[in-house]
Amino acid sequence: MLAHQQRYDVDKPSSTDCKDSVEMRRATVAFAKETAPCNSDIPLEPGVSVATREHSAGHRIVTLTVSNPAKLNIVNSTILKQLIEACQALSDDSDLRAVVLTGGQTIAGKQPSFIGGADITEMHQLSSSIEARSFIERIHLACKAIRDLPIPVIARMHGFCLGAGLEIAAACDMRVATKSSVFGMPEVKVGIPSVVEAALLPGLIGMGRTRRLLYLAENIDAATAERWGLVEKVVPDQQGLDQVVDSWCGMLAGMGPKAVRSQKRLMQKWENSTVDEGVRAGVEAFAEAFADGGSEPRAFMSKFSDRKR
């Protein structure tokens, strides 16, 4: 049931080795078949929408939808600002169990897209290092806002996931994609390096594959992305996406809420620490779980200790 829906409206902005080319052509054909029909219900103005549903009592799931239907859901400064604001507003919701980040439906004639990248028109107008720094900081701050959410964020991906879109996806905790999705970092093709949260990619796919993705600006298909570790699961279609997302959200809602939040903080600590520092942080996290006498762990452990054997 949809309990709450809000839309942030914004102003219009002023492969796998030798099989790559074949697979990419197949993906393009698949996109053509899945192109959204003309639908008067699609808001044409770019924006970020927030939809909240009650999974069960005291357990909320939120879906954030990035929508720029005429332009493959690319992000501009205003959309990034709205994404940051939406994430920050959600951070204080103690009943929130998961956030799903997805791309909106595109208009007829446009291929499906999670987030097709950053707005090249806006970047083309940058004329100084000060302006460039301000623009790229907004992409970083949007990724940081996603990473700062205290609960897991699931990227629900269908279609193009390129450049800033892949950086945003990398900022999420888990990723599921349709088999026709396409991933790439094409920045060097337009004369700029891949930056900010592209720094997360080596932790996901290794430095060698990151170099291949960034230096060669190759696009890879979903099967390759899954094999590399860029996505956790690939499904046939959008119905499959919804099934996986519902399953994962249901599992998260059934876990210890404080434990999941603690786990997210700890895993982010692991990203930026030595093994010894990570182990010590884990000891502290475990101890903290019992700071109030262990109400949550004791309640959840009792389900196992009290069961009939």
Side-chain angles (χ1 to χ4, degrees):
M1 177 184 298
L2 187 63
H4 170 70
Q5 183 162 332
Q6 180 178 2
R7 180 174 175 79
Y8 292 84
D9 290 319
V10 300
D11 297 330
K12 287 185 179 179
S14 74
S15 307
T16 59
D17 305 322
C18 346
K19 297 183 180 178
D20 275 350
S21 59
V22 174
E23 292 303 320
M24 295 308 298
R25 284 197 296 272
R26 289 176 180 169
T28 302
V29 171
F31 278 161
K33 292 179 179 178
E34 294 183 69
T35 297
C38 184
N39 188 338
S40 59
D41 294 333
I42 302 176
L44 295 181
E45 289 292 327
V48 176
S49 64
V50 181
T52 303
R53 67 181 175 91
E54 295 292 327
H55 178 273
S56 52
H59 303 284
R60 280 194 281 273
I61 308 296
V62 165
T63 298
L64 296 177
T65 303
V66 175
S67 179
N68 194 350
K71 296 186 177 181
L72 299 178
N73 296 328
I74 61 172
V75 292
N76 56 36
S77 289
T78 317
I79 291 177
L80 292 166
K81 179 176 181 290
Q82 299 304 323
L83 182 57
I84 293 166
E85 291 174 350
C87 290
Q88 290 174 342
L90 292 172
S91 293
D92 295 329
D93 186 349
S94 60
D95 290 336
L96 190 60
R97 298 293 173 257
V99 169
V100 180
L101 180 64
T102 193
Q105 188 177 359
T106 53
I107 63 172
K110 295 290 183 179
Q111 295 170 345
S113 185
F114 170 65
I115 298 173
D119 190 340
I120 291 181
T121 300
E122 183 174 355
M123 287 190 287
H124 186 260
Q125 295 170 351
L126 301 174
S127 59
S128 70
S129 59
I130 293 174
E131 291 179 356
R133 182 175 288 107
S134 178
F135 177 81
I136 203 63
E137 278 284 352
R138 280 189 283 274
I139 294 179
H140 162 61
L141 291 174
C143 293
K144 184 177 185 298
I146 292 168
R147 284 168 57 78
D148 284 348
L149 281 164
I151 39 71
V153 181
I154 300 168
R156 177 194 179 279
M157 298 183 288
H158 175 53
F160 284 122
C161 178
L162 305 174
L166 187 49
E167 291 162 19
I168 289 171
C172 297
D173 295 280
M174 297 184 288
R175 290 153 289 275
V176 56
T178 56
K179 66 180 181 180
S180 59
S181 295
V182 176
F183 305 84
M185 296 294 288
E187 283 83 357
V188 293
K189 287 184 177 180
V190 293
I192 55 176
S194 296
V195 293
V196 291
E197 270 62 24
L200 295 172
L201 294 176
L204 294 173
I205 63 177
M207 188 60 79
R209 285 168 172 165
T210 299
R211 289 189 180 102
R212 176 176 169 181
L213 208 59
L214 273 55
Y215 290 163
L216 305 181
E218 290 183 308
N219 285 348
I220 60 172
D221 59 24
T224 303
E226 184 179 31
R227 191 173 70 250
W228 284 11
L230 189 57
V231 300
E232 281 64 57
K233 194 172 184 66
V234 173
V235 296
D237 50 30
Q238 292 199 76
Q239 182 179 357
L241 282 181
D242 292 335
Q243 291 171 347
V244 170
V245 167
D246 287 346
S247 175
W248 286 359
C249 287
M251 287 188 279
L252 288 168
M255 307 299 178
K258 292 180 181 178
V260 171
R261 289 171 181 242
S262 176
Q263 191 70 72
K264 178 162 183 175
R265 291 193 300 270
L266 185 57
M267 294 185 75
Q268 289 189 335
K269 174 74 173 178
W270 290 347
E271 289 178 344
N272 299 292
S273 65
T274 65
V275 173
D276 287 344
E277 290 169 341
V279 169
R280 178 48 51 188
V283 170
E284 296 305 317
F286 187 86
E288 184 182 344
F290 290 86
D292 65 350
S295 59
E296 181 172 291
R298 288 166 65 88
F300 277 79
M301 289 178 186
S302 66
K303 298 175 184 178
F304 294 90
S305 61
D306 296 344
R307 65 183 176 179
K308 294 182 180 180
R309 299 181 184 277

